[in-house]
Amino acid sequence: MDITQILLAAQSPDANLRTVAESNLTQFQEQNLPNFLLSLSVELSNDEKPPESRRLAGIILKNSLDAKDSAKKELLTQHWVSVDPSIKSKIKDSLLVTLGSSVHDARHTSSQVIAKVASIEIPRREWLDLIAKLLGNMTLPGASAPLKQATLEALGYVCEEISPQHLEQDQVNAVLTAVVQGMNQTELSPEVRLAAVKALYNALDFAESNFANEMERNYIMKVVCDTAVSKEVEIRQAAFECLVAIASTYYSHLDYYMQTIFNLTANAVKGDEEPVALQAVEFWSAICDEEIALQDEYEGSDDGNSTIHFRFIEKALPSLVPMLLETLLKQEEDQDQDDNVWNISMSGGTCLGLIARTVGDAIVPLVMPFVQANITKPDWHCREAATFAFGSILEGPSVEKLAPLVQGGLDFLLNTMNDSNSQVKDTTAWTLGRVFELLHSPAGANPIINNSNLPRIMAVLLESSKDVPNVAEKVCGAIYFLAQGYEDAESMSSVLTPYLPNVIAALLSAADRADTTHFRLRASAYEALNEIVRVSNVPETSGIIGQLLQEIMRRLNLTFDLHILSSGDKEKQSDLQALLCGVLQVIIQKLSSTDAKSIIAQTADQLMTLFLRVFACHSSTVHEEAMLAIGALAYATGPDFVKYMPNFFTYLEAGLQNYEEYQVCSISVGVVGDICRALEDKILPFCDRIMTVLLKDLSNSMLNRSVKPPIFSCFGDIALAIGENFEKYLPYAMPMLQGAAELLGTLDQSDDDMVDYGNQLRRGIFEAYSGILQGIKGPKAQLMIPYATHLLQFTEAIFRDRSRDDSVTKAAVAVLGDLADTLGASSKDLFQTHLFHAEFLRECLDLDDEVRETASWAQGMINQAVVS
């Protein structure tokens, strides 16, 4: 096969040629992977070949080694590992040769592929001479600038792909030396210097011991700071990106350099190109993030507080705040029209918000004079900047400090919703939303909203919901937060009842607007509607919510008649159905938890018909929302839900088998739990198929791991529902639980995500055992004796493990109680053999009320079992 011709044909405008070429490539790859990869690497390295075939060869090579999906990536890794070492060696040599190519694309792709190979081999202690070979290119007499640039790029990518523990310290030192030399002003090629700065950025995680050494640290910092004033914009930007990363990674080493860095950032913010200025502001945002994290960590304790918390923000405050306030005046025209805009004024406001969270009250006297000086100026830029500044500092300072300012300024903000400039109104609506989100507390000592100002607030919000779409969207957000304030003080939400019909009408109208090209106004309107329903006082509002239920059902019904001519139309239909199902779920939950349950009972048939029609549209996003709404309906209708099971079960089963869209799978598992609680033993006819699918899910390596803990909890739900009928599933479910318990011992405890996942898995396992023990309790309780010893050993291992959280502790002590309760006297010897339970339950007495209550119940059960 002539690989060049096939690669060119695969890019042909002629669809027939393309299809044949793609099929040839797939056939070659499947029949002879080693030679396929070798042919691609030879193509990439050959300067005689056309740039187009080389580019595609490089892309296919890279995609043969790496994938976003973790299961696929693992498979590709295994394929590479199994290739004959002599062929792998030729491929790697080809890649290294390509770094010296005269074609930029070939060099760039080769550096990426080298890093992908390194990510597989270096952790396996293979290709150990790679770093030395790359560094050899940098010291080669007469090495060309393109070779140096591609080599530095490869070094950077390698550092990005592998972990610091995979390189020896002398290798790290050599990499840093080469990179820092490449950044030096004596290096004449700007491309080489830029590649060097980017490589340093990727290598910073490896430089821990170099930053701990004062002399090396001084040298690195000097070179970075010198590079931040290079004459090339891209190089200055990359140098500031390094400073941002250093702020996050090496905060504790920064004290000596802060004055220099302040001067650099101040000059960049005042006078440099925007990409550089953005990174200069980002440096201070990164410092805020570090200091906020330190304050959270040492909250309420004196130890270690002063040693590593330098309070850089506090010290720089008098100069830093005015510098950032100036950036707020550099808005772009129409930036309110683009949700993704990120410019110096947005960046400055974000940083100001972080500073407010870092220093609290101290920021207020520095910002308020700017607000007062600009808020009434004729130039809209000044009015918008003043409002943005005020809105940005509302999180951090104390309510006592802010409440008088907000109470004094609220009327002004409401008036500004009539400003002649759309951007000013947009920012004002956002600021009102922030006021309601952060400071509106009806039960507090000084409520921001009271009976005298609520009518005015509601009138302004309702009127402004008709404004241009981006302003209306922020107004919906403000209504959402206004309502949310009453969530914890639901009895006080009666004050909203008189406004409810008008608010609902305004939000439905905003959701319907034809001028809304962006989806966000519609989503924002429906989210606000959900919150209004959640906090409403049902005895007073059940009639209004009942009418809303009918209206939302009418709207959902209309979505089935939309003309679908393109995938874009299909997506719009899907998104709208998802929003409407979301509103129905909230209404069902609200009405079913009160005396208004009868409203749901009367409409349940219609609701279920609508949800099934949504499923028939086959779209995963809708799937999730409709599934959740059905879960709420099952809870609301209880045992009567059984009549819907024959028609619904096909979709439930499909959801449980949806490995690709694992959120759908996870939600479907949750809905099985809802249905178990609703139907109890009436779910029995469907259990064989449900258990079969759940057991398959657990064995499926392609399924995202986050779905597995809920599946275990679901075993518990099923056992509680069907009681001793769960007996036939014990031989299948119990080995799965024991296997998962063993897997916990292999999780990486140094990885926070893994620790969280471990806790979810433990809780899932304990919830399964609790449900099964309670379900089997009675004449067949003895069936659990063979599993009891393993369960107690597992519980003891969890007790000894300090990484468990309170929810795991509560689930574990509940299992101890359930075991004693179910097995009774049969568990006496077990508890006398495994004495850890006494210590475990004692420890629980110092925890929160829920854990304490569960522990004292468990203690009572164990005592009964042991004395019987």
Side-chain angles (χ1 to χ4, degrees), residues 518-558:
H518 58 332
F519 175 67
R520 288 173 62 153
L521 171 56
R522 182 183 269 171
S524 194
Y526 281 124
E527 279 162 19
L529 191 60
N530 289 344
E531 198 54 30
I532 287 280
V533 170
R534 267 189 213 105
V535 303
S536 66
N537 195 332
V538 164
E540 303 169 352
T541 60
S542 58
I544 304 169
I545 295 176
Q547 286 169 353
L548 177 62
L549 174 63
Q550 292 299 328
E551 172 59 20
I552 300 294
M553 285 163 63
R554 185 187 73 79
R555 288 172 174 236
L556 184 54
N557 201 26
L558 289 175

Side-chain angles (χ1 to χ4, degrees), residues 180-386:
V180 170
Q181 277 171 357
M183 288 167 67
N184 220 307
Q185 298 298 329
T186 54
E187 172 55 64
L188 298 176
S189 160
E191 290 78 20
V192 172
R193 293 213 315 283
L194 179 61
V197 187
K198 289 183 170 176
L200 176 65
Y201 177 87
N202 285 330
L204 281 170
D205 280 346
F206 293 74
E208 196 174 334
S209 67
N210 309 84
F211 265 82
N213 176 317
E214 188 183 352
M215 207 168 85
E216 294 183 33
R217 179 171 73 243
N218 285 343
Y219 183 56
I220 294 171
M221 291 302 291
K222 181 181 183 320
V223 173
V224 175
C225 291
D226 287 349
T227 310
V229 290
S230 298
K231 51 179 202 302
E232 299 83 1
V233 172
E234 252 193 298
I235 294 179
R236 293 200 300 278
Q237 181 188 345
F240 274 108
E241 284 171 5
C242 282
L243 286 173
V244 174
I246 289 167
S248 302
T249 316
Y250 299 114
Y251 171 90
S252 59
H253 293 304
L254 278 181
D255 194 24
Y256 177 72
Y257 315 100
M258 282 309 274
Q259 188 56 56
T260 306
I261 295 175
F262 181 83
N263 296 339
L264 283 171
T265 54
N267 291 334
V269 171
K270 284 192 183 81
D272 210 329
E273 304 281 334
E274 187 168 78
V276 184
L278 281 171
Q279 291 305 318
V281 172
E282 190 61 33
F283 172 83
W284 291 103
S285 293
I287 293 287
C288 288
D289 287 336
E290 291 307 305
E291 298 199 340
I292 290 166
L294 285 168
Q295 285 161 4
D296 291 347
E297 198 175 331
Y298 291 112
E299 200 174 3
S301 77
D302 302 326
D303 56 298
N305 203 350
S306 55
T307 48
I308 50 170
H309 189 185
F310 291 115
R311 306 189 185 280
F312 290 137
I313 298 295
E314 203 177 290
K315 291 172 190 166
L317 214 52
S319 318
L320 188 54
V321 171
M323 171 178 101
L324 291 168
L325 289 170
E326 285 304 307
T327 66
L328 303 188
L329 293 159
K330 297 179 182 174
Q331 311 95 321
E332 294 167 16
E333 298 286 337
D334 297 332
Q335 69 178 37
D336 56 330
Q337 302 297 322
D338 181 0
D339 296 324
N340 301 315
V341 76
W342 185 248
N343 56 30
I344 194 71
S345 72
M346 302 289 288
S347 173
T350 303
C351 188
L352 216 49
L354 288 166
I355 292 173
R357 287 176 54 203
T358 311
V359 300
D361 289 358
I363 196 170
V364 177
L366 292 169
V367 171
M368 286 317 290
F370 176 86
V371 175
Q372 284 147 357
N374 286 283
I375 196 87
T376 54
K377 283 192 176 168
D379 181 353
W380 75 263
H381 292 86
C382 299
R383 300 197 302 280
E384 195 275 343

Side-chain angles (χ1 to χ4, degrees), residues 398-555:
S398 62
V399 176
E400 293 72 27
K401 187 83 175 171
L402 291 171
L405 298 173
V406 170
Q407 279 155 347
L410 189 57
D411 207 46
F412 193 91
L413 288 170
L414 292 169
N415 287 336
T416 311
M417 287 307 297
N418 289 319
D419 197 278
S420 58
N421 179 275
S422 169
Q423 248 166 280
V424 174
K425 288 190 286 190
D426 185 274
T427 302
T428 305
W430 171 79
T431 300
L432 283 168
R434 298 261 297 169
V435 166
F436 300 152
E437 178 187 8
L438 299 164
L439 299 167
H440 156 46
S441 170
N446 287 330
I448 299 288
I449 296 175
N450 50 47
N451 291 338
S452 59
N453 65 15
L454 183 60
R456 171 96 205 285
I457 291 170
M458 295 310 288
V460 169
L461 292 175
L462 291 176
E463 187 54 39
S464 299
S465 70
K466 301 171 193 161
D467 210 315
V468 294
N470 53 290
V471 173
E473 184 211 320
K474 308 285 190 313
V475 170
C476 291
I479 293 172
Y480 173 94
F481 288 119
L482 173 70
Q484 195 181 52
Y486 295 98
E487 246 181 32
D488 297 330
E490 206 173 290
S491 57
M492 299 175 76
S493 72
S494 289
V495 297
L496 297 180
T497 304
Y499 305 100
L500 207 59
N502 288 344
V503 174
I504 289 174
L507 291 171
L508 289 173
S509 172
D512 271 350
R513 281 166 51 169
D515 66 345
T516 159
T517 47
H518 58 332
F519 175 67
R520 288 173 62 153
L521 171 56
R522 182 183 269 171
S524 194
Y526 281 124
E527 279 162 19
L529 191 60
N530 289 344
E531 198 54 30
I532 287 280
V533 170
R534 267 189 213 105
V535 303
S536 66
N537 195 332
V538 164
E540 303 169 352
T541 60
S542 58
I544 304 169
I545 295 176
Q547 286 169 353
L548 177 62
L549 174 63
Q550 292 299 328
E551 172 59 20
I552 300 294
M553 285 163 63
R554 185 187 73 79
R555 288 172 174 236

